[in-house]
Every structure is written in C-alpha cells, then in structure tokens.
Amino acid sequence: MTRIMGPWVELELHQTHLEFRMRFRWLARFFGPWQLKRSVIRDVYPGHLHALDPWARVNFLAEEIMPWTFLTQWPVDVLEAAEMLGYPVRYDDQIP
C-alpha cells in the first residue's frame, strides 16, 4: 500500500483497489471515501498541466471512460507507485 497526499484528497494505492478519501477529518465526515477496483482501471496517465495551477493531475481511467483525477505536486511519484503495484501506467497524456 502507498499513501499519497494531495491538496484536498489522500490517495491510497493497494494492489486490489484505489481509495480516495478527504484529507481533513471534518470534510471526511461528509464526503467519501471512494474506492475504485483495480480490475476496472484501463489506464493511469498524467493530465494536462495548466500555467496558473501549481497542482498536476494524475488520471485513473476506468472502464466506463470516466477519469478519476488526483491532484499532486509530484505526478511522477504517483505514476511510479502505481506502476510498482502493477497498474497500467503510461507517462504521456495522449488518450489512445
């Protein structure tokens, strides 16, 4: 398991699933946690960078073509952690 903090959400990477939960306890009372099973993840890839946004995006593309987005300052660390756990990772942002 790998735990990575984002600005609002904490991401836990497991071999069987991803878990997103609110980083702050008072928000966690009302929202989340959300889980995404590994079997439905088709692709893990970085999102487009925006000039005014200091947070980079890492997208987890599920079977239903819905990307789950995680904001981070270190997207390569998230991609490497997912790759070590066997997720289908690519380092470009072009959707095939």
Side-chain angles (χ1 to χ4, degrees), residues 11 19 31 34-35 48 62-63 67 80 94:
L11 170 64
E19 187 168 309
F31 304 105
W34 303 274
Q35 286 190 359
H48 296 288
E63 284 180 346
E80 287 175 352
Q94 301 300 314

Side-chain angles (χ1 to χ4, degrees), residues 42-55:
R42 291 182 5 182
D43 221 355
V44 180
Y45 60 96
H48 296 288
L49 295 175
H50 299 284
L52 300 176
D53 190 359
W55 298 98

Side-chain angles (χ1 to χ4, degrees), residues 68-82:
W68 292 58
T69 301
F70 179 69
L71 299 176
T72 181
Q73 289 181 328
W74 303 279
V76 174
D77 292 346
V78 176
L79 294 170
E80 287 175 352

Side-chain angles (χ1 to χ4, degrees), residues 1-4 10-14 17-21 87:
M1 183 210 38
T2 303
R3 180 179 292 164
I4 302 168
E10 181 179 306
L11 170 64
E12 284 187 12
L13 293 146
H14 299 267
H17 68 281
L18 300 174
E19 187 168 309
F20 299 87
R21 63 177 54 163
Y87 287 88

